[in-house]
Amino acid sequence: MIKVEHLTKKFGNNEVLSDISTEIKKGEVVSIIGPSGSGKSTFLRCINLLEKPTDGKIVVNNQELTDPKTNIMKAREQIGMVFQHFHLFPHLSVLDNLTYAPMKVRKESKLAAQEKAMDLLAKVGLSDKADAYPSSLSGGQKQRVAIARALAMEPELMLFDEPTSALDPEMVKEVLDVMKDLAHSGMTMAVVTHEMGFAREVADRVLFLDHGVLVEEGEPTSFFDAPKTERAASFLEKIL
Ligand code: ADP
Ligand code: MG
């Protein structure tokens, strides 16, 4: 589903991603972990070309996004993204948040878009909030709406950038539960997270970034219980 080949990203002469190569298969859930500033967000943003790679190749669903001939807007429609700070449309109801892009971009009828939206709201446990405005929701509810909104575009893959980091602790679980359901439904997911429980339990693979280098990748159990590198071991020691 995703192929990253020799990805390098520089901001000026600050190299924040160095020659990263990896693959994410269809249906796979990959957790990206690493210290603050290690390049995790930049890595995700390069996958959907929100950041333009300085070097290297990004292929999503057999389409090379780094090819200048690729229609990036079109290609991005198949990639859902969920951010730390939700980014809901504040002036639209929850229902309209979910139907806006499907109607505008996918040219779905209002009725079809609303039916799908209600279905997704049921999946994230927010059927009763269809007519509410984002400002009246808790952080956990906002993030579940943001996930449902991304799913309304029927993406082939979902990127999550610290989706629970801005939440009060009691709201983390409700969001992780929605993500777990999604993982079990077969969605391809790349998740930057500090929730090691989620990474261990749900991810098929963990990528560990440090200073822009993909230092280690592997199965969660072996990564957490027996990291192969000193850098991963010392990171885990600090957080676990
Ligand atoms: P992480 O998500 O792991 O905390 P980031 O990908 O946000 O790390 O940042 C990696 C490095 O890139 C940091 O040193 C950060 O300051 C730098 N950086 C990120 N975005 C920009 C930008 N738009 N312009 C300049 N530097 C940036
Ligand atoms: Mg980040």
Side-chain angles (χ1 to χ4, degrees):
M1 182 62 70
I2 306 177
K3 207 179 271 180
V4 175
E5 287 176 18
H6 302 294
L7 168 64
T8 293
K9 173 65 185 177
K10 295 182 187 174
F11 290 110
N13 44 24
N14 182 16
E15 185 166 298
V16 301
L17 294 175
S18 304
D19 194 19
I20 293 183
S21 296
T22 191
E23 279 186 22
I24 301 178
K25 296 197 172 63
K26 196 173 166 59
E28 213 179 6
V29 178
V30 170
S31 277
I32 299 146
I33 67 175
S36 177
S38 57
K40 304 181 298 296
S41 295
T42 306
F43 177 70
L44 272 199
R45 293 166 62 83
C46 281
I47 290 177
N48 63 6
L49 250 66
L50 282 177
E51 295 290 355
K52 196 173 176 300
T54 307
D55 228 320
K57 220 162 128 175
I58 308 283
V59 181
V60 173
N61 215 1
N62 296 316
Q63 197 174 22
E64 188 191 333
L65 301 194
T66 35
D67 182 338
K69 291 191 288 287
T70 299
N71 179 343
I72 293 300
M73 294 307 275
K74 192 84 200 144
R76 234 182 243 147
E77 284 171 26
Q78 51 180 339
I79 308 175
M81 181 137 187
V82 173
F83 304 89
Q84 189 174 353
H85 292 290
F86 329 123
H87 299 299
L88 296 175
F89 305 123
H91 58 293
L92 296 181
S93 69
V94 165
L95 187 68
D96 291 345
N97 261 277
L98 267 66
T99 58
Y100 182 82
M103 286 167 59
K104 185 119 182 150
V105 179
R106 288 168 59 92
K107 311 291 179 210
E108 291 178 16
S109 74
K110 186 167 187 168
L111 194 66
Q114 287 184 341
E115 261 178 36
K116 182 168 62 182
M118 289 309 297
D119 202 42
L120 286 166
L121 287 177
K123 283 207 173 89
V124 301
L126 292 172
S127 298
D128 57 333
K129 296 293 183 190
D131 297 323
Y133 280 80
S135 58
S136 71
L137 303 178
S138 72
Q141 291 170 335
K142 281 181 198 163
Q143 195 59 300
R144 285 185 281 151
V145 171
I147 294 171
R149 183 180 61 174
L151 292 174
M153 289 295 283
E154 301 181 27
E156 295 283 335
L157 90 115
M158 289 279 286
L159 309 177
F160 295 84
D161 193 356
E162 298 197 29
T164 60
S165 294
L167 301 178
D168 291 329
E170 74 271 22
M171 291 168 189
V172 168
K173 184 172 180 297
E174 67 192 49
V175 171
L176 291 179
D177 283 347
V178 164
M179 292 169 61
K180 272 182 213 172
D181 285 348
L182 191 57
H184 292 141
S185 78
M187 178 62 77
T188 309
M189 295 164 63
V191 184
V192 173
T193 186
H194 297 297
E195 294 294 331
M196 296 303 143
F198 177 87
R200 192 188 265 274
E201 189 186 330
V202 183
D204 298 298
R205 198 146 45 86
V206 174
L207 308 188
F208 173 67
L209 287 185
D210 193 19
H211 293 291
V213 175
L214 178 53
V215 172
E216 186 165 336
E217 66 179 303
E219 239 197 297
T221 319
S222 49
F223 174 77
F224 287 112
D225 296 340
K228 290 195 270 302
T229 61
E230 183 56 41
R231 280 152 94 179
S234 106
F235 173 72
L236 290 173
E237 212 162 90
K238 282 187 203 117
I239 57 156
L240 293 178

